[in-house]
Amino acid sequence: GIPTVLTSGGEGLDFGPRVSPNGATVVFYRIHGIGAGTVWTVSTLGGTQTQLTASGADYRPAWLPATAP
């Protein structure tokens, strides 16, 4: 398919994307400076980004394994 830009970090740098087990959401790390970064999510279809953590969060966000219903 055609690549789609999902994030816009403004003055930050977005990296480390991980797609959720159901394929609906991407979690990523946004770095704002030395030792200053936050974890965010966004739909795989694009749209509003949601900040999950305060500054200084782990720069390697990941999803827990999917569980059966």
Side-chain angles (χ1 to χ4, degrees), residues 3-69:
T4 301
V5 176
L6 298 177
T7 69
S8 58
E11 295 182 23
L13 173 65
D14 299 339
F15 68 98
R18 301 287 184 264
V19 178
S20 64
N22 68 2
T25 307
V26 175
V27 65
F28 62 95
Y29 185 73
R30 177 170 290 160
I31 190 165
H32 306 284
I34 297 173
T38 48
V39 176
W40 294 72
T41 60
V42 65
S43 166
T44 53
L45 300 176
T48 303
Q49 300 167 35
T50 303
Q51 183 175 345
L52 299 180
T53 65
S55 185
D58 188 349
Y59 66 92
R60 297 169 301 200
W63 298 99
L64 293 175
T67 56

